[in-house]
Amino acid sequence: MRLRVAAGGPAALKVLAAAGAAAAPVRLDWNDPLERPLAPLSPPWVPALELDSGTVLFSPNAICQFFFLARGEEPTDLTNQWLEWEATELQPAASAALYAQLVHGKKGLEAVEALGKLLAHIEQNLSRRGTAYLAGDTKSVADVVVWGTLFPVLQDETSLPTELQQLRMWFQSMTLSEACRKAADSVLMPRALLEFKSYLQKQPPPSLAMERATSNEPEVQPWPSNGPLWGSGNRHADPHWDQPSLQEEEGSERALTEEEITAAADAWAHGAAGLPKPWQPQKPVLPVEGMRNVLITSALPYVNNVPHLGNIIGCVLSADTFARYCRLRNWNTLYVCGTDEYGTATETKAVEEGLTPQEICNKYNAIHADIYRWFDISFDYFGRTTTPYQTMIAQDIFQRLLARGFLLQDTVEQLRCEDCQRFLADRFVEGTCPFCSYEEARGDQCDKCGKLINAVELKNPQCKLCKGVPVVKPTQHLFLDLPKLEERLEPWLEQSWATGDWTANARYITRSWIRDGLKPRCITRDLRWGTPVPLDGFRDKVFYVWFDAPIGYLSITANYTDQWERWWKNPQQVELYNFMAKDNVPFHSVIFPCSLLGAEDNYTLVNHLIATEYLNYEDGKFSKSRGVGVFGDMAKDTGIPADIWRFYLLYVRPEGQDSAFSWSDLMLKNNSELLNNLGNFINRAGMFVCKFFGGAVPNMILTLDDKRLLAHVTLELRQYHQLLEKVRIRDALRCILSISRHGNQYIQANEPWKRIKGDEKDRQRASTVTGIAVNMASMLAVLLQPYMPGVSLAIQEQLCIPPDCLVMSHNFTCTLPPGHRVGTVSPLFQKLENDQVEALRKHFGGGQPENLAVEPQAKQTPPASEPAPGDHQLIQELTEEVAKQGNHVRQLKANKAEKAQVDAEVARLLELKQQLALAEGKSPKGAVPKGKRKK
């Protein structure tokens, strides 16, 4: 490996330190920064690593990661989060601080004021986790990268505030380590720094595209700063405080150039004429030559359950937000989804409910469709996989793979239940996990440790259908020859990663799958419910759901239009976005692409794979059986509008790490961000038009301050676009809130309600402020549409926004000109009261014991002395009886019945709960209500 670096360049520091820390065998070349770089697009002073294969890495963080990976140190979710934070938050601020030091000659605290909250973020994380290093008790690539970015700015340790004790200890430890010390001595030489300073003096000052603070909570400032901030608000009070976002403190804005102010004023003056013309596709939506054709899928939800909030944000809501944004950009967009209906999970649910698999599919497909309709998910088509098109397309792909030699036959040792006279699919068997000894592991995966399992590896296996003990017997199956397809997969992956937007976790999970070489993957199952295998000797089998299910995207599209191949066999014209939670990544990034590559039929492959982390519920996990968490069919019964659910789920969308739904935080964000910030501004802007100007937008004469506001709003608007184009949906939402915050500050500073009573000059000022404010509200209606379509529509109707203005632009223009009449203006949001929220918290809190909050995915194992679980029909009957009796008891208490009668019915309720606990295999002690103790 050949590593080329330029002395004096700050990026070289982290790369050399990482090479030393990982003991990487590199050949070091010092080069002149003016020399032609190895990578044509790489700027001067940026290092480049030429691998033995000829591939060149010129991202400093990627080079650092490569060194640690080559040493066998796998990145964790936490190290990936730190690297993302360093790249998006720390680097821009550190660049600004270094520029201030070297070019403007600033010293000490003054020079590093731009790092204020970023340093506090490191301090708080080190203190909270109680570890010596950023990602644990040992040094990782995250420590080297963050140190390398900070050291050029903080060489003089007097720059570090004394309050940040944990940060000081960490920084000193890193600086004294041999690898970091040698790197600093090599890179930061006086002569090299002079050359770098000379280079910087010829460059424009670094500009930070920042968001505004998004919380009205008290500010925590360990030391004074008016520079860019990591975030705002009391981090200990906010459950999402450690989610990175691009934010800055209110009142601290980057300086605007005269060109930016002039350009913003010119764009404003063009009015609606400066907007693109809205474009409506024909139905059905088909690719159009010369347009950007965007095909969006969200992971097909299993038909056998009701989706909870985490499922909804993980796929359909995230995809819907992006699809709505694409349509507003005039991109030709098709968004398809549907229920995944084949496989063991459906058969299992059918057995539980005493229905046929088809009846289960019909029942739950309707439930899913109703839920997504209520959440206002804008599918172009929501279908299902139990269709003739699914069989036709899946069998065609199979036959093509078979004809090209990409399938293998092999004998598999599989569990067979002699009592049921069938081989047991993975989900029809339970046993003890061979890895963590969890006693209720499934035959495909352990819910506790998360490891994938072969059913025959289970200890003490048990048939879930009859509770019998299965035996191991051989059976023939078909396998996708992934090792043979790997030579096609890897070049495609490199191209897709280079040209598309894959989330960091999607890239990492995919790399971890292919790092040690792929292995053949079984694609058939001994089931009755699935797509039949069209091959002699295997006609009693069906396709394994993870071969079959992604093909559902194609078959669902085929049910939408018989010209489906124009989307799915057209990679030259179509961009494909897949949305999912991270557990679905390998199937969309490895198995499904391999199937399509091997089929050799010009299939459209994913360009942008967007994976979220997990959304938890309060301090644990969602659990339908324990009544913990909000599920899709329950949300509308809370009385909270769908748009509020959409807003909050997108606000806490787990983009870089797991996040948590919190009732208190939902109340806080509704009351502060929606009611007091966004709703307050839009309502005031519209009300001023009605109250002071008879419902007609007044004349506007712009001052320099007004033009500065236009420029600031334009910066936020462009940041919104940059983030959404990268599918950073959560962060883009902050831009909307920031614009409304600008608007509130603008109204507050100019006080039009006072000026309207003054002289002609004051009345003109009130007129201008009101006109600009109502136009900001009009723009916000468009920006909000992907997030809160109902609220957006309400604003459109209140302000009578012309349909031609409902299109995205990169410029803030005057879409409501003087004389435009608005309609009736009314509040958009209602306050959530604490009593209301506490009642909902209790209602959805279930009976989750503390130990389940620690290991939320593991079910409680019944004590050995307790009876084994009974049949599902009995459990369902008892559940219904408990609910019925509970309602009866509540009615008696409400009617103030005799105490003896109430006590008798309570005793009956406790008896039923004990029977239910026994039937579920739990201790009947669990049926004793809170506050009561057995004597």
Side-chain angles (χ1 to χ4, degrees):
M1 293 185 293
R2 178 187 177 202
L3 178 63
R4 292 181 60 175
V5 293
L13 183 63
K14 67 171 81 168
V15 170
L16 282 184
V26 296
R27 187 172 81 253
L28 189 61
D29 284 357
W30 295 95
N31 70 293
D32 188 318
L34 301 179
E35 181 182 345
R36 187 173 180 271
L38 282 174
L41 298 179
S42 176
W45 301 95
V46 171
L49 177 67
E50 185 176 13
L51 305 182
D52 296 336
S53 64
T55 301
V56 177
L57 302 180
F58 57 94
S59 160
N61 284 10
I63 295 171
C64 295
Q65 281 183 296
F66 181 85
F67 290 149
F68 277 80
L69 276 171
R71 194 171 74 165
E73 292 190 20
E74 300 284 344
T76 65
D77 285 347
L78 191 54
T79 56
N80 284 334
Q81 290 157 22
W82 276 112
L83 292 176
E84 180 185 355
W85 176 82
E86 186 273 343
T88 58
E89 309 274 344
L90 185 61
Q91 275 190 38
S95 297
L98 192 60
Y99 190 94
Q101 283 184 337
L102 295 179
V103 177
H104 295 151
K106 292 186 177 180
K107 305 284 186 190
L109 288 176
E110 182 187 16
V112 297
E113 64 180 6
L115 296 175
K117 275 299 175 62
L118 301 168
L119 299 181
H121 174 55
I122 300 174
E123 169 77 13
Q124 290 166 339
N125 272 269
L126 289 169
S127 300
R128 183 166 64 92
R129 292 193 172 95
T131 55
Y133 296 99
L134 298 178
D137 290 320
T138 57
K139 192 184 305 174
S140 71
V141 64
D143 295 284
V144 175
V145 167
V146 173
W147 174 85
T149 299
L150 286 176
F151 186 78
V153 183
L154 300 178
Q155 291 181 68
D156 177 6
E157 287 189 17
T158 59
S159 302
L160 269 174
T162 56
E163 296 90 338
L164 306 182
Q165 287 299 316
Q166 297 299 317
L167 172 62
R168 290 175 72 89
M169 290 170 59
W170 168 82
F171 186 75
Q172 289 168 357
S173 172
M174 290 296 300
T175 302
L176 292 173
S177 68
E178 183 179 3
C180 293
R181 192 176 68 251
K182 285 184 176 179
D185 291 342
S186 301
V187 173
L188 303 180
M189 300 178 295
R191 183 184 61 79
L193 283 176
L194 283 174
E195 291 180 5
F196 184 63
K197 176 180 177 180
S198 175
Y199 167 76
L200 284 182
Q201 286 172 334
K202 300 171 186 174
Q203 307 304 313
S207 64
L208 299 173
M210 295 292 180
E211 296 181 31
R212 288 278 144 318
T214 59
S215 171
N216 291 336
E217 300 162 26
E219 187 65 46
V220 174
Q221 294 203 54
W223 56 294
S225 164
N226 348 323
L229 301 182
W230 168 81
S232 170
N234 185 331
R235 303 300 165 204
H236 301 287
D238 188 339
H240 313 295
W241 72 272
D242 57 353
Q243 295 181 9
S245 60
L246 302 173
Q247 297 179 346
E248 66 176 354
E249 184 180 19
E250 284 191 43
S252 85
E253 300 164 349
R254 83 161 174 81
L256 295 165
T257 65
E258 289 186 15
E259 291 80 5
E260 287 171 329
I261 296 171
T262 302
D266 288 345
W268 166 269
H270 280 94
L275 295 174
K277 297 300 180 187
W279 180 80
Q280 289 296 327
Q282 298 295 313
K283 300 295 182 182
V285 183
L286 295 171
V288 177
E289 183 76 35
M291 291 193 70
R292 184 172 181 180
N293 299 294
V294 177
L295 176 58
I296 297 173
T297 70
S298 49
L300 305 182
Y302 276 133
V303 78
N304 69 315
N305 57 26
V306 178
H308 57 63
L309 297 181
N311 303 138
I312 291 168
I313 187 59
C315 54
V316 296
L317 178 53
S318 294
D320 175 65
T321 305
F322 186 69
R324 288 175 176 275
Y325 172 73
C326 292
R327 295 182 191 117
L328 286 168
R329 290 292 304 273
N330 281 345
W331 298 341
N332 187 40
T333 304
L334 178 68
Y335 174 26
V336 296
C337 187
T339 43
D340 176 10
E341 300 191 350
Y342 282 136
T344 323
T346 305
E347 276 201 55
T348 307
K349 191 69 172 179
V351 171
E352 287 180 10
E353 297 198 14
L355 300 172
T356 67
Q358 187 63 63
E359 288 170 337
I360 279 289
C361 292
N362 295 342
K363 172 184 175 181
Y364 280 93
N365 175 270
I367 291 172
H368 277 264
D370 285 344
I371 290 168
Y372 304 139
R373 195 177 298 113
W374 187 79
F375 273 95
D376 214 350
I377 307 298
S378 63
F379 304 117
D380 289 288
Y381 187 76
F382 184 76
R384 54 199 308 183
T385 57
T386 50
T387 66
Y389 270 118
Q390 177 75 12
T391 301
M392 182 189 78
I393 298 171
Q395 290 184 347
D396 177 66
I397 291 172
F398 167 79
Q399 295 286 14
R400 296 180 71 89
L401 289 167
L402 183 66
R404 287 157 179 75
F406 292 121
L407 297 181
L408 304 171
Q409 291 187 28
D410 201 358
T411 301
V412 176
E413 297 290 316
Q414 195 168 337
L415 293 174
R416 178 179 173 84
C417 179
E418 298 298 347
D419 293 336
C420 296
Q421 285 294 295
R422 65 188 292 175
F423 283 99
L424 296 178
D426 299 337
R427 286 174 180 259
F428 284 139
V429 62
E430 273 188 354
T432 302
C433 175
F435 301 103
C436 71
S437 298
Y438 175 54
E439 293 182 3
E440 293 184 34
R442 300 197 312 266
D444 58 346
Q445 188 173 14
C446 174
D447 279 341
K448 184 175 182 182
C449 68
K451 292 187 182 295
L452 298 177
I453 299 172
N454 288 322
V456 294
E457 298 173 344
L458 288 172
K459 302 174 185 176
N460 308 316
Q462 185 182 64
C463 171
K464 289 185 69 175
L465 298 174
C466 71
K467 307 304 176 186
V469 178
V471 295
V472 178
K473 286 200 170 182
T475 180
Q476 283 282 311
H477 277 291
L478 293 166
F479 289 75
L480 183 62
D481 193 349
L482 290 177
K484 195 171 181 179
L485 288 160
E486 192 168 359
E487 62 185 23
R488 301 184 180 205
L489 177 71
E490 291 193 354
W492 167 75
L493 277 173
E494 291 299 331
Q495 180 190 19
S496 187
W497 286 345
T499 58
D501 291 313
W502 287 48
T503 52
N505 57 357
R507 292 173 186 252
Y508 168 68
I509 292 167
T510 304
R511 286 194 187 100
S512 68
W513 261 64
I514 63 177
R515 186 175 301 119
D516 299 324
L518 297 176
K519 296 174 176 57
R521 181 88 176 181
C522 188
I523 65 166
T524 54
R525 282 292 184 270
D526 288 296
L527 279 177
R528 300 183 180 93
W529 184 245
T531 302
V533 179
L535 184 66
D536 289 344
F538 296 89
R539 295 187 186 275
D540 59 341
K541 302 179 192 295
V542 300
F543 289 127
Y544 174 43
V545 69
W546 272 116
F547 172 78
D548 189 55
I551 297 172
Y553 299 132
L554 284 62
S555 72
I556 288 167
T557 309
N559 279 284
Y560 169 67
T561 171
D562 58 6
Q563 300 182 66
W564 65 274
E565 292 183 347
R566 290 178 60 182
W567 284 108
W568 285 103
K569 294 184 181 181
N570 190 6
Q572 298 80 16
Q573 284 190 326
V574 174
E575 278 185 79
L576 174 58
Y577 286 80
N578 288 163
F579 285 79
M580 69 203 67
K582 63 181 177 182
D583 55 336
N584 284 332
V585 166
F587 307 103
H588 290 79
S589 67
V590 177
I591 296 174
F592 187 40
C594 278
S595 300
L596 297 183
L597 288 165
E600 296 181 352
D601 204 13
N602 196 39
Y603 277 108
T604 302
L605 299 176
V606 62
N607 305 94
H608 315 273
L609 202 155
I610 313 300
T612 63
E613 300 291 316
Y614 294 137
L615 179 75
N616 297 318
Y617 180 78
E618 295 281 351
D619 295 324
K621 298 285 184 183
F622 292 86
S623 172
K624 188 79 170 179
S625 62
R626 290 184 282 112
V628 175
V630 181
F631 285 72
D633 56 347
M634 304 170 179
K636 60 184 174 183
D637 296 330
T638 62
I640 297 174
D643 267 14
I644 306 302
W645 287 107
R646 287 178 61 109
F647 165 80
Y648 185 68
L649 290 174
L650 292 163
Y651 190 98
V652 298
R653 183 174 184 262
E655 290 188 1
Q657 63 193 73
D658 291 356
S659 62
F661 172 88
S662 161
W663 283 106
S664 57
D665 192 54
L666 168 64
M667 179 179 69
L668 176 67
K669 296 304 185 291
N670 177 82
N671 295 348
S672 61
E673 293 295 7
L674 292 182
L675 187 64
N676 295 338
N677 175 15
L678 182 67
N680 180 56
F681 168 67
I682 294 171
N683 187 251
R684 291 171 89 189
M687 286 298 294
F688 290 157
V689 176
C690 296
K691 185 175 180 181
F692 302 147
F693 302 100
V697 175
N699 289 321
M700 292 163 274
I701 301 175
L702 272 57
T703 66
L704 181 57
D705 282 344
D706 298 325
K707 293 176 182 178
R708 285 198 186 98
L709 173 69
L710 302 184
H712 280 301
V713 171
T714 300
L715 288 179
E716 295 287 357
L717 175 61
R718 292 184 177 178
Q719 168 108 351
Y720 170 91
H721 284 296
Q722 289 168 9
L723 290 167
L724 272 179
E725 285 171 5
K726 295 292 184 183
V727 204
R728 291 180 59 182
I729 297 170
R730 181 199 66 203
D731 288 340
L733 178 55
R734 269 57 167 187
C735 296
I736 297 174
L737 300 173
S738 178
I739 289 171
S740 62
R741 191 168 289 108
H742 271 298
N744 276 316
Q745 292 169 347
Y746 177 64
I747 287 176
Q748 210 60 34
N750 286 280
E751 300 180 321
W753 61 92
K754 290 184 180 178
R755 291 182 181 269
I756 196 66
K757 301 173 184 176
D759 57 19
E760 182 60 31
K761 183 179 178 182
D762 276 344
R763 288 197 298 275
Q764 179 56 60
R765 188 68 194 140
S767 173
T768 299
V769 171
T770 300
I772 290 176
V774 78
N775 271 278
M776 287 177 67
S778 176
M779 184 184 72
L780 285 169
V782 181
L783 302 186
L784 274 170
Q785 203 271 350
Y787 293 90
M788 306 177 78
V791 170
S792 171
L793 182 60
I795 301 169
Q796 294 168 36
E797 292 174 347
Q798 290 184 19
L799 301 184
C800 300
I801 301 173
D804 282 355
C805 297
L806 301 177
V807 62
M808 287 284 184
S809 168
H810 281 67
N811 293 311
F812 176 27
T813 63
C814 179
T815 54
L816 305 183
H820 172 87
R821 299 201 67 83
V822 303
T824 303
V825 176
S826 58
L828 296 167
F829 305 107
Q830 290 186 337
K831 185 177 182 181
L832 286 177
E833 300 292 347
N834 189 61
D835 291 348
Q836 176 189 2
V837 167
E838 283 305 311
L840 290 169
R841 189 202 306 276
K842 286 182 181 179
H843 179 73
F844 292 104
Q848 185 175 10
E850 288 183 8
N851 65 318
L852 285 176
V854 177
E855 294 182 327
Q857 291 183 335
K859 300 175 185 175
Q860 279 190 302
T861 304
S865 59
E866 296 297 336
D871 64 70
H872 294 291
Q873 186 175 355
L874 174 61
I875 291 172
Q876 187 168 351
E877 289 174 358
L878 286 169
T879 301
E880 292 172 358
E881 285 294 316
V882 167
K884 183 178 178 181
Q885 183 67 12
N887 288 333
H888 180 50
V889 169
R890 283 189 287 275
Q891 192 64 41
L892 288 174
K893 289 181 176 179
N895 294 335
K896 299 184 179 178
E898 294 290 331
K899 185 176 185 300
Q901 184 185 2
V902 173
D903 289 345
E905 296 301 326
V906 168
R908 170 63 180 155
L909 175 61
L910 293 178
E911 181 185 345
L912 285 169
K913 286 186 175 182
Q914 289 175 350
Q915 290 178 24
L916 176 59
L918 287 169
E920 291 176 331
K922 300 176 183 175
S923 168
K925 294 176 183 177
V928 178
K930 291 180 181 179
K932 305 274 186 184
R933 293 190 178 275
K934 287 186 134 183
K935 300 292 184 187

